Amino acid sequence: MNRAFNRKKDKSWMHTPEALAKHYIAYNAKFLGNTEVEAPKGTEVVKDAVRKLKFQRHIKKSEGQKTPKVELQISIYGVKILDPKSKDVQHNCQLHRISFCADDKTDKRIFTFICKDSESNKHLCYVFDSEKCAEEITLTIGQAFDLAYKKFLESGGKDVETRKQIGGLQKRIQELETENAELKKQLHELEEQLMIAHVPPAGSISIRPQSMDMFDMVPFSPATPLVPTKTSNGCPPPPPTTLPPDIRKDLFGAEPFDPFTCGAADFPPDIQSQLDEMQEGFKMGLTLEGTIFSLDPLDSRC
């Protein structure tokens, strides 16, 4: 089976699954910023982004501006970038949108990742100075991605195609119910026209059998209660059982779908698009690499 996560060198995970699934791992770093890139993966892509953001940070430093500090909170739900004091969330990068991570294998400070923006759908490269923790942070993101991917498969991702088919069947059933209602309306109109055509002349006496429809059948009325008849042994039949209506369930008895809580569901378009996006992101996978970002004399400590 192809894994969604890969790294050129085998590294053992650093944290327990519970730490990333039920809580988060926090790191402090300096945030050099983010910039748009043309591709979701590639060492040269992130090198160009790092060079660009370092140059911009060098200009701001010459103007007396300090590199802002941030807190990174990493879990199976994503990477949050917060203000370390106010805890205000500046960026929230969902894991299935992160496609590439790289850390500086020389000085262990700079690390970066590429994430697809949820609003613009552009690929943005985020760059950080992590105080010698670049590789650890990169591996933590990789472990969180791996756990999130497995949880996605266990919960609902493996049933995506089946649920798409169920959604299509539900849509078709709704169409058939609409057509059926229209046919019933037309049938009722025909029955009324036939009854008008058979009205006897005034003053005449006509003995009519029980009202029949155009097919010589007794019209069925859902408002008319069915009277139970005795069985062959003379005992009255048991009363009909009524089942309590299932609230918030579709006609298949399915609950609303949450990709991280198991359960089938009817598939509204917005949920379907989110699931398709998650499936596409996890299928693309996350690549982690070690590289060298010390490319020019502007690589002074920010």
Side-chain angles (χ1 to χ4, degrees):
M1 181 181 69
N2 294 328
R3 296 187 65 191
F5 165 84
N6 65 76
R7 185 181 174 92
K8 291 186 175 180
K9 293 183 179 180
D10 291 334
K11 295 285 184 179
S12 59
W13 296 135
M14 306 179 65
H15 309 286
T16 63
E18 291 74 17
L20 289 165
K22 297 182 180 179
H23 306 283
Y24 59 83
I25 306 298
Y27 293 96
N28 291 319
K30 292 181 180 180
F31 185 32
L32 275 66
N34 60 26
T35 185
E36 182 181 352
V37 292
E38 296 181 355
K41 295 177 181 287
T43 302
E44 294 302 320
V45 174
V46 295
K47 279 186 176 181
D48 290 341
V50 170
R51 183 184 293 110
K52 177 181 178 180
L53 290 172
K54 278 188 174 182
F55 180 77
Q56 293 177 357
R57 182 52 53 189
H58 180 75
I59 298 298
K60 293 180 179 179
K61 184 179 179 181
S62 65
E63 297 173 350
Q65 299 184 27
K66 294 183 178 181
T67 304
K69 295 180 179 181
V70 295
E71 177 181 323
L72 300 173
Q73 294 182 356
I74 303 172
S75 71
I76 65 170
Y77 295 98
V79 179
K80 288 185 179 180
I81 305 172
L82 306 89
D83 182 284
K85 294 182 179 180
S86 66
K87 302 299 180 181
D88 291 336
V89 178
Q90 300 175 0
H91 303 277
N92 188 8
C93 303
Q94 295 172 306
L95 286 179
H96 67 274
R97 291 179 171 272
I98 299 176
S99 54
F100 191 85
C101 279
D103 56 81
D104 193 333
K105 63 183 180 182
T106 55
D107 67 5
K108 308 297 183 183
R109 295 176 64 97
I110 300 297
F111 84 94
T112 178
F113 63 80
I114 298 176
C115 180
K116 189 176 182 181
D117 185 69
S118 59
E119 296 182 0
S120 65
N121 281 330
K122 296 179 180 179
H123 292 98
L124 302 178
C125 183
Y126 294 76
V127 180
F128 304 85
D129 183 338
S130 62
E131 296 292 341
K132 303 293 183 180
C133 295
E135 185 178 31
E136 180 179 340
I137 296 175
T138 302
L139 285 173
T140 301
I141 294 176
Q143 182 181 5
F145 187 97
D146 197 46
L147 290 171
Y149 176 62
K150 291 177 180 177
K151 193 171 182 65
F152 177 75
L153 292 180
E154 291 170 358
S155 59
K158 58 186 176 182
D159 298 326
V160 170
E161 295 303 324
T162 301
R163 298 183 185 203
K164 284 183 180 179
Q165 294 176 8
I166 291 176
L169 289 173
Q170 290 176 330
K171 182 178 180 181
R172 180 57 181 157
I173 289 172
Q174 292 176 352
E175 293 174 350
L176 290 174
E177 288 177 346
T178 302
E179 293 177 6
N180 187 38
E182 181 63 28
L183 289 173
K184 285 183 178 180
K185 180 180 178 182
Q186 295 177 10
L187 182 60
H188 180 69
E189 292 174 351
L190 287 173
E191 289 176 352
E192 288 183 344
Q193 293 176 8
L194 288 173
M195 292 179 66
I196 293 174
H198 290 82
V199 173
S204 63
I205 299 175
S206 175
I207 301 176
R208 293 177 56 112
Q210 186 176 3
S211 176
M212 302 288 183
D213 63 13
M214 61 184 297
F215 300 105
D216 292 331
M217 300 292 289
V218 178
F220 171 72
S221 173
T224 304
L226 299 178
V227 180
T229 57
K230 290 186 177 181
T231 59
S232 57
N233 60 4
C235 299
T241 59
T242 57
L243 298 177
D246 288 327
I247 302 175
R248 299 180 68 244
K249 288 188 177 181
D250 62 14
L251 55 91
F252 294 99
E255 299 287 350
F257 175 69
D258 181 339
F260 276 179
T261 56
C262 300
D266 54 341
F267 246 42
D270 56 338
I271 300 298
Q272 181 64 63
S273 62
Q274 292 176 22
L275 188 60
D276 289 342
E277 179 189 325
M278 292 182 71
Q279 185 183 34
E280 179 183 356
F282 283 128
K283 185 177 180 180
M284 176 182 290
L286 172 64
T287 302
L288 303 190
E289 288 189 359
T291 186
I292 300 175
F293 293 128
S294 302
L295 304 172
D296 49 49
L298 295 180
D299 187 29
S300 57
R301 300 305 175 207
C302 301

